[in-house]
Amino acid sequence: MDPIAVNIREACRVSGLTRTRIFGEIRNGALEAKRAGKHTLVLYASLKALVQSLPPAGSKSGRGAA
């Protein structure tokens, strides 16, 4: 059973994305997160959907494409 939400460290660990990328995706609305006091919790379903929406490895639509 998947968790409802994970903290930023765990979101980075399970997705392979950096903290900067996670916070950037939260800022631009691509990743849904909630605040619990000082803690930011990323909704796991949102994180999973974001990772699944990334382009396939080796595709030319990613960073550095000519």
Side-chain angles (χ1 to χ4, degrees):
M1 181 188 220
D2 290 338
I4 296 170
V6 293
N7 63 29
I8 297 296
R9 179 176 290 175
E10 184 70 0
C12 294
R13 188 187 73 75
V14 300
S15 69
L17 300 174
T18 64
R19 286 178 62 85
T20 301
R21 178 73 184 263
I22 295 286
F23 280 111
E25 298 294 351
I26 292 169
R27 265 192 307 282
N28 73 27
L31 192 55
E32 191 174 354
K34 304 289 184 182
R35 295 290 298 191
K38 294 181 179 181
H39 302 281
T40 301
L41 298 174
V42 176
L43 299 186
Y44 193 79
S46 179
L47 180 63
K48 193 172 177 180
L50 173 69
V51 171
Q52 289 174 338
S53 74
L54 295 173
S59 76
K60 296 191 181 222
S61 63
R63 189 186 275 187

